[in-house]
Amino acid sequence: MRPLLASLAGLAVLLCVAGGWIALVYQRDMGREYQRIQSRGQVMASPFGDIEVLEGGTPTGPAVLLVHGSGGGYDQGELLGHAALGKNTALRWIAPSRFGYLRSTFKPGATFDDQAHAYAFLLDRLGIDRIAVVALSHGGPSALLFAALHPDRVSSLTLISAGVAASGAADQAQANDKGSALTAIFQQDVRYWVLTHTMRRRFLELMGVSPTVSASLTPEQRRLADDVIDRMNPVSPRAAGTVFDNQAAMPNERIAAIRAPTLVLHARDDGLQLFHNAEFAANHIANARLVAFERGGHLLLAVEQPAVQRLVVEHICRHAGDPAVPGATRLPGVQDQHVSPCGR
């Protein structure tokens, strides 16, 4: 009996030590992440509430509005800019936190239309008349409505794994269940932190990435995927935004009003924002081009990052009004355009 009691006592001590160590690591991580999100964005007042925004890139370059997905904020917008435009881009990027994310206000009853009008207000404050728009995931609805409601402000639109329209298909119900589970996880810092530290592959499945794609990630692809996941810490200041995204009405057929040149990039195996979103956009936007990837899931930006960056920058620069440069590098499949200086 005594050896058994001694063993149980030893196990209890180990569990207490392990629990204490985990608590210390959690507190350290959260302290660092809260300091990070509070130290960089600028907050401005608007009729829609406070708007938080971060700017980067080249101040004199063509402007790009980066619209983050669910669980994001200006920091995910910055990551989107680095991945899709390049860290040393000659473009000027503007990354706002959408309603309910970080220090941007969420007002009860707000819609994606309101968020679109808030983008126009932000551009007025920044002195920008026209801008290219790049939207990721659930940044799609407000970006699409911005292009539809403020056509004179949008030089081009790019959708990356973006949500566009509701669907009654059976696989959409499964995707909706994943979205609801993610929304629940995003309500508590500790819940998100523990899950992403102990069950990362399971979390990737919730994010619409198949086990096959997850297992095949290269070290570089996994680093970018990890950046996406880790930068969503802390989640509590993003909780209201994730609920808003999960409940607000999608643009659906209203996108037919969009006249901006639109590039749609989407993986066929995306398990969160299903491929029908890309097909819907391509079929309803008059000036749309769909580039479909066979694999990548909802981590298309990480899996196909070089190709995505090349396509995005070429699309932005083609429609930014910059003159073509004699001798500039041609992109595969593009016969009549050059890469603009804005892409260097």
Side-chain angles (χ1 to χ4, degrees):
M1 182 65 70
R2 287 184 179 179
L4 176 60
L5 291 175
S7 297
L8 291 175
L11 178 60
V13 170
L14 287 175
L15 290 174
C16 288
V17 171
W21 179 81
I22 292 171
L24 286 174
V25 173
Y26 169 75
Q27 291 172 358
R28 180 204 65 191
D29 287 357
M30 286 301 101
R32 181 178 61 229
E33 296 302 334
Y34 270 98
Q35 183 178 17
R36 175 181 64 81
I37 64 171
Q38 293 168 359
S39 62
R40 303 183 65 207
Q42 173 190 355
V43 178
M44 63 179 66
S46 85
F48 306 93
D50 289 342
I51 301 175
E52 182 179 37
V53 63
L54 182 71
E55 295 188 64
T58 303
T60 57
V64 182
L65 180 69
L66 301 172
V67 186
H68 67 81
S70 288
Y74 77 79
D75 49 352
Q76 190 184 90
E78 178 183 30
L79 183 60
L80 171 62
H82 289 168
L85 306 179
K87 288 188 176 181
N88 299 311
T89 182
L91 297 162
R92 174 191 179 187
W93 54 258
I94 294 95
S97 298
R98 296 192 287 110
F99 291 165
Y101 286 98
L102 302 181
R103 291 184 289 175
S104 287
T105 302
F106 170 74
K107 292 184 177 182
T111 65
F112 285 133
D113 290 59
D114 296 326
Q115 181 67 85
H117 295 316
Y119 296 149
F121 177 89
L122 174 63
L123 297 188
D124 289 341
R125 286 289 300 273
L126 296 176
I128 298 173
D129 292 327
R130 282 171 57 81
I131 197 165
V133 180
V134 178
L136 176 68
S137 187
H138 223 80
S142 59
L144 287 158
L145 290 172
F146 178 54
L149 298 172
H150 299 273
D152 56 323
R153 309 301 294 267
V154 179
S155 59
S156 68
L157 174 62
T158 300
L159 304 173
I160 304 175
S161 308
V164 178
S167 169
D171 53 354
Q172 183 62 56
Q174 297 175 354
N176 291 344
D177 288 343
K178 291 177 182 178
S180 296
L182 288 169
T183 300
I185 292 167
F186 270 88
Q187 302 310 299
Q188 292 183 356
D189 290 340
V190 66
R191 186 183 299 170
Y192 181 85
W193 185 88
V194 169
L195 179 60
T196 56
H197 277 72
T198 62
M199 302 176 64
R200 183 151 293 203
R201 286 204 175 184
R202 173 58 181 150
F203 185 77
L204 286 173
E205 287 185 51
L206 285 177
M207 287 187 63
V209 182
S210 70
T212 301
V213 170
S214 179
S216 66
L217 294 175
T218 67
E220 184 175 359
Q221 292 168 342
R222 187 164 294 280
R223 277 193 296 271
L224 182 51
D226 287 342
D227 279 348
V228 172
I229 294 171
D230 293 337
R231 284 204 195 190
M232 289 192 282
N233 283 299
V235 297
S236 293
R238 313 173 200 264
T242 60
V243 173
F244 169 61
D245 286 348
N246 205 40
Q247 296 178 348
M250 300 295 281
N252 299 319
E253 287 80 5
R254 298 174 64 195
I255 67 172
I258 294 173
R259 293 294 176 264
T262 301
L263 175 65
V264 183
L265 307 176
H266 217 107
R268 295 185 185 276
D269 63 345
D270 192 325
L272 191 60
Q273 297 289 359
L274 302 182
F275 190 68
H276 85 82
N277 286 283
E279 295 175 313
F280 192 96
N283 290 333
H284 286 78
I285 299 175
N287 197 7
R289 173 193 177 198
L290 170 59
V291 179
F293 295 81
E294 293 304 315
R295 61 183 297 276
H298 202 55
L299 276 182
L300 175 65
L301 182 62
V303 174
E304 296 287 355
Q305 190 267 334
V308 168
Q309 182 180 124
R310 184 189 69 211
L311 289 162
V312 171
V313 171
E314 190 275 336
H315 180 68
I316 290 170
C317 292
R318 176 184 291 184
H319 301 288
D322 291 343
V325 180
T329 303
R330 292 182 183 271
L331 293 173
V334 178
Q335 303 299 323
D336 58 345
Q337 297 287 340
H338 295 285
V339 176
S340 163
C342 73
R344 293 185 174 181

